[in-house]
Amino acid sequence: MAFQQILERIGGMGRYQITHVILLCLPAFFISSHNLMQNFTAAIPKHRCKLNESWEEGNFTGPWLHAHIPLKSNGKFSSCSRYTNPQLNLLNYGLKSNTSDLTTEICADGYMYDDSEFSSTIINQKEIHLEMHAECNIPFYGQIYTWPATAGTPDFRKNDNTSWRHVIIPFTFLCFLQWDLVCNRKRMRQLAQSIYMAGVLVGSIIFGGLSDKFGRRPLHIWSHFQMFVTGICAAFAPNYIAYCAFRFLTGSAVSGIILNSYSLIVEWIPTEARALTSTATGYCYTFGQLLLVALAFFIKDWRMLQLAASLPFVIYFLCAWWLPESSRWLVLGGKYEQAIKDLKKVARINGRMEEGEKLTVETIKYDMQREINVSRSSYSVLDLIRTPVMRRISFCLCCT
């Protein structure tokens, strides 16, 4: 008797299996959000070069733009260049001037962005000034002088009349700098997504092997933990390099969740229900894409959108502790007592307590003897093409 037949005896696709599949499918809603996140967080807004401070009006239709920003062949202002010197003669709209000989330069003073559609993306990351203050009681000797602008500490003069004064010391920190991922830095936008997908690839290699060695459940829990930690860190990344690093780790966590969730699903449900549950998981991923669109419609700031897609994994992390290890993996790993304990728990939830009580170490070993013997065999990559059936399956998987 194989493990699938044991599952049929303790309830098949019972109450436990349904709850089990639902809990493992829920993360798919937000996994798809992370995969497609940069369609919104890295959207390129309308932009142009900043003008000299005395000319800048912060808009895209001001009268001074004709004197500073060259026009493209389609009649729109250039996004990546400006005139080296203001061409005030171009403000006379009735006078046709030849602008092809005028010298231009790159946007040396940065860019001006149109935030009407997206208040902030990784392209036009805004500067954020964080103001803080420290409060303390200090001994006061007679008279306190004005705070020196250069010294950075208050000046005291000693006096016999000692008292205590409450002092507030202000601090201002520049937390985030503009990234300006446009024009000659435009390729860095695609690079960020490539780094994320590299994390997905690395995660599939690492978490796949680790789950076979240490179990599906520990890696499943860790992947959710890594997912919400790195996702939140990416939302507050102070610079482009830190953002890419956290996105790489997020991508690897995505692979860990997908691989271990799928393993826990198929190893706890009967064979005939696998097609249905696989389809349901795919629909969850599809609806997750629609959910991302809804979130992006209401949340215009990329940091808040990244945060909104990462915080639900805190709940998924807590739910993951409730899910038991794959009993099939436990049996093949020689952990029979824990496997029987989990199988009896599932039988009780499915209303098959009597069948669960019949399970012992001896019956499990006898019923799964063939699977246990097969698990002790060693395989290599060559086994994927050793037989005609395996060659056909491997070819189909490679093509998809």
Side-chain angles (χ1 to χ4, degrees):
M1 182 186 297
F3 184 74
Q4 292 299 320
Q5 293 173 297
I6 296 177
L7 289 179
E8 291 291 349
R9 288 169 53 190
I10 62 174
M13 195 65 184
R15 288 192 298 268
Y16 170 80
Q17 278 76 12
I18 295 174
T19 305
H20 182 79
V21 171
I22 291 174
L23 290 178
L24 289 172
C25 285
L26 288 178
F29 285 100
F30 287 95
I31 286 177
S32 59
S33 297
H34 279 275
N35 286 344
L36 304 175
M37 179 75 67
Q38 282 202 193
N39 288 326
F40 300 98
T41 60
I44 302 178
K46 182 179 179 182
H47 58 278
R48 61 167 175 81
C49 292
K50 276 186 179 180
L51 309 183
N52 185 283
E53 292 184 0
S54 59
W55 299 94
E56 183 60 68
E57 295 179 346
N59 58 49
F60 288 78
T61 58
W64 302 111
L65 294 181
H66 290 273
H68 294 82
I69 308 296
L71 294 175
K72 297 186 291 186
S73 59
N74 59 3
K76 296 182 179 180
F77 289 111
S78 173
S79 300
C80 301
S81 62
R82 67 181 183 181
Y83 292 123
T84 304
N85 298 306
Q87 306 298 319
L88 299 180
N89 60 306
L90 298 179
L91 296 178
N92 187 350
Y93 301 108
L95 178 64
K96 294 184 179 180
S97 302
N98 183 14
T99 61
S100 60
D101 297 332
L102 299 177
T103 59
T104 60
E105 63 180 1
I106 62 174
C107 303
D109 296 324
Y111 300 86
M112 181 63 62
Y113 296 95
D114 182 6
D115 58 359
S116 59
E117 186 174 4
F118 294 96
S119 62
S120 176
T121 68
I122 68 170
I123 307 299
N124 62 328
Q125 166 61 55
K126 303 292 184 65
E127 293 184 355
I128 300 179
H129 295 270
L130 179 63
E131 295 186 357
M132 304 176 61
H133 67 270
E135 300 185 19
C136 59
N137 292 317
I138 58 176
F140 176 63
Y141 303 101
Q143 184 178 3
I144 183 170
Y145 286 86
T146 305
W147 190 291
T150 57
T153 56
D155 185 17
F156 301 101
R157 179 169 295 181
K158 188 174 182 179
N159 192 291
D160 293 337
N161 299 324
T162 303
S163 61
W164 290 83
R165 290 291 179 89
H166 187 72
V167 177
I168 300 177
I169 307 173
F171 299 96
T172 301
F173 298 98
L174 180 61
C175 296
F176 308 118
L177 299 175
Q178 283 187 315
W179 297 356
D180 291 334
L181 305 183
V182 292
C183 299
N184 59 339
R185 303 183 67 190
K186 187 177 180 179
R187 67 175 67 91
M188 298 176 70
R189 172 180 179 267
Q190 290 84 0
L191 178 62
Q193 181 65 15
S194 299
I195 291 175
Y196 170 81
M197 297 308 298
V200 175
L201 175 62
V202 172
S204 63
I205 298 173
I206 295 177
F207 285 107
L210 291 179
S211 64
D212 288 336
K213 184 176 182 180
F214 298 104
R216 286 79 164 99
R217 183 173 180 267
L219 272 298
H220 186 249
I221 294 173
W222 171 259
S223 297
H224 282 89
F225 176 77
Q226 180 177 325
M227 187 73 178
F228 83 77
V229 170
T230 57
I232 294 173
C233 289
F236 294 99
N239 52 57
Y240 175 78
I241 296 177
Y243 171 77
C244 289
F246 287 125
R247 286 286 288 171
F248 177 87
L249 294 174
T250 301
S252 63
V254 165
S255 290
I257 294 174
I258 293 175
L259 292 174
N260 291 287
S261 294
Y262 188 76
S263 296
L264 287 171
I265 287 176
V266 299
E267 292 179 356
W268 268 115
I269 63 174
T271 305
E272 62 272 11
R274 289 180 180 178
L276 177 62
T277 54
S278 297
T279 303
T281 304
Y283 277 120
C284 291
Y285 186 92
T286 302
F287 283 112
Q289 298 176 16
L290 301 178
L291 178 61
L292 173 63
V293 174
L295 289 174
F297 180 80
F298 292 103
I299 305 175
K300 305 297 183 181
D301 185 89
W302 79 268
R303 293 186 183 275
M304 294 299 103
L305 181 59
Q306 174 78 28
L307 194 62
S310 301
L311 284 178
F313 285 93
V314 177
I315 300 175
Y316 299 149
F317 167 71
L318 298 177
C319 292
W321 287 92
W322 180 82
L323 299 172
E325 180 60 89
S326 166
S327 287
R328 181 179 180 275
W329 181 87
L330 290 172
V331 171
L332 297 181
K335 301 178 181 180
Y336 300 104
E337 295 296 337
Q338 184 61 44
I340 293 174
K341 179 180 178 181
D342 291 340
L343 287 170
K344 288 183 177 181
K345 175 183 176 182
V346 172
R348 184 175 66 255
I349 295 175
N350 288 341
R352 299 288 186 90
M353 187 178 298
E354 293 182 359
E355 293 293 335
E357 294 299 327
K358 297 178 182 178
L359 296 175
T360 62
V361 175
E362 291 73 19
T363 58
I364 291 291
K365 285 183 178 181
Y366 178 79
D367 294 339
M368 295 185 62
Q369 187 61 47
R370 182 179 177 183
E371 292 187 46
I372 294 173
N373 293 335
V374 171
S375 67
R376 293 171 182 172
S377 303
S378 59
Y379 299 94
S380 66
V381 178
L382 296 177
D383 289 291
L384 296 175
I385 56 175
R386 191 176 301 279
T387 64
V389 175
M390 287 302 300
R391 282 196 294 270
R392 185 171 64 252
I393 295 174
S394 299
F395 176 77
C396 292
L397 290 175
C398 291
C399 291
T400 56

